[in-house]
Amino acid sequence: MTDQNLITAVRENILYITINREKALNALNKATLAELAEAITFANTTDEVRGVIITGSGEKAFVAGADIKEFSDYTGAQGEELARKGHELVFNAIENAKKPFIAAINGFALGGGLELAMACHIRVAAESAKLGLPEVSLGLIPGYGGTQRLTQLVGKGKAIEMIITANPITAHEAEKIGLVNYVVPQSDVIAKATEILNFVKKRAPLAVSAALKAVVASLNNEGYQVETTLFGECFETEDFKEGVAAFVNKRPSVFLGK
Ligand code: CO8
């Protein structure tokens, strides 16, 4: 694997992936997504790997979203293409993987970061973690499956509230609504995720893969396509330009609804 933005290591049949862009709060730029895609393929095609744990470097963030600075001048078509590629190579690839993926959420999981965690099969969160989909503050909607997977995990009412208010929730709130499986002290997130995979490692590999495939099959629908199209359309709005400019210049945004 050609890691620059990831640190990867296989220990006792578990692939540990650490997203290593601490200064940008582990935001997902294109290079990081490409490396993630490579690591997912490696996990799927290497018998030695029985499960994968994804975490973020540092103590502040798991992943603070897609890299806003990278897509600030995108057109609708470019935004749609980015989302489509992300789905195919990373987010759906994780959900459809033959091995279980666990997100060890060590801090902020926002936007594309929460979407990455939700594409994983199980989530363990640090007590200090904050989880949310803040895209509408940028004039966007979640584009990496958030509208679909959050709804599947927590139900329509809570998903709509989180998406349209853009307000993050705490790890304990997330556990209460079924968004994360466990909340543990920050120093224990990797250990807890490892403990879960150690159980899985004792089970029949083909049966584990079949079970993952069967559960995921129950969730597929055309909503992902609708999300991708609408996500692209958001890039054509003045509000998107305003939202991103406000973030980059560290000032409040003034939306005009056009
Ligand atoms: N993208 C790029 N850079 C980021 C991001 C991001 N998502 N988040 C943080 N950073 C950078 C900051 O710009 C800052 O850089 P610099 O030091 O150069 O100014 C550095 O990380 C540290 O961040 P802050 O100074 O802002 O740290 P704070 O402790 O003050 O705040 C927050 C932490 C609350 C997490 C804040 O950084 C924040 O609000 N970040 C943005 C969160 C967000 O809006 N995420 C959603 C992004 S949109 C998205 O994910 C779309 C997904 C679908 C995409 C589909 C295809 C594109």
Side-chain angles (χ1 to χ4, degrees):
M1 282 181 280
T2 50
D3 302 341
Q4 305 242 324
N5 299 288
L6 305 182
I7 299 170
T8 55
V10 179
R11 286 193 296 276
E12 295 180 0
N13 305 104
I14 296 172
L15 171 62
Y16 292 85
I17 300 175
T18 304
I19 297 168
N20 191 32
R21 299 189 72 219
E22 191 176 346
K23 281 196 184 135
L25 303 188
N26 303 318
L28 298 174
N29 61 3
K30 278 197 245 169
T32 307
L33 288 166
E35 287 174 36
L36 271 172
E38 217 181 309
I40 296 160
T41 303
F42 171 78
N44 264 332
T45 52
T46 308
D47 286 345
E48 183 198 351
V49 174
R50 297 288 310 277
V52 181
I53 294 173
I54 303 182
T55 195
S57 63
E59 300 201 334
K60 197 164 164 183
F62 169 69
V63 170
D67 193 313
I68 298 169
K69 291 163 190 168
E70 201 174 61
F71 62 62
S72 59
D73 56 357
Y74 269 26
T75 63
Q78 286 172 310
E80 196 175 326
E81 176 61 14
L82 192 63
R84 197 182 311 286
K85 262 192 152 168
H87 275 306
E88 183 190 323
L89 299 175
V90 177
F91 296 80
N92 291 352
I94 289 174
E95 190 170 69
N96 295 323
K98 295 182 203 156
K99 329 273 171 88
F101 277 61
I102 301 186
I105 305 171
N106 54 307
F108 285 113
L110 300 175
L114 180 55
E115 292 175 298
L116 179 66
M118 292 193 296
C120 292
H121 303 104
I122 294 172
R123 282 150 294 284
V124 176
E127 284 163 342
S128 57
K130 294 263 168 35
L131 303 90
L133 293 176
E135 283 89 341
V136 297
S137 336
L138 295 165
L140 288 175
I141 63 169
Y144 282 144
T147 62
Q148 307 302 298
R149 293 195 178 98
L150 186 62
T151 309
Q152 288 159 0
L153 282 164
V154 307
K156 188 168 78 171
K158 201 66 199 174
I160 287 179
E161 180 188 340
M162 283 180 67
I163 292 168
I164 70 172
T165 64
N167 290 333
I169 61 173
T170 64
H172 285 296
E173 287 173 294
E175 186 183 30
K176 219 173 358 171
I177 63 174
L179 180 53
V180 301
N181 299 60
Y182 295 97
V183 177
V184 297
Q186 187 173 51
S187 54
D188 294 348
V189 278
I190 301 292
K192 183 68 194 174
T194 303
E195 179 189 306
I196 296 167
L197 286 183
N198 282 341
F199 281 109
V200 179
K201 273 160 47 182
K202 293 183 202 149
R203 314 307 177 208
L206 294 177
V208 168
S209 291
L212 287 174
K213 194 170 175 180
V215 174
V216 170
S218 75
L219 303 172
N220 288 336
N221 58 40
E222 64 185 36
Y224 290 101
Q225 180 52 47
V226 175
E227 182 193 86
T228 304
T229 305
L230 292 172
F231 179 76
E233 286 175 15
C234 288
F235 280 83
E236 301 294 336
T237 65
E238 292 300 317
D239 282 351
F240 163 66
K241 294 180 181 71
E242 166 61 13
V244 169
F247 175 77
V248 171
N249 296 307
K250 301 182 190 287
R251 62 165 174 80
S253 41
V254 182
F255 291 123
L256 300 174
K258 55 183 190 177

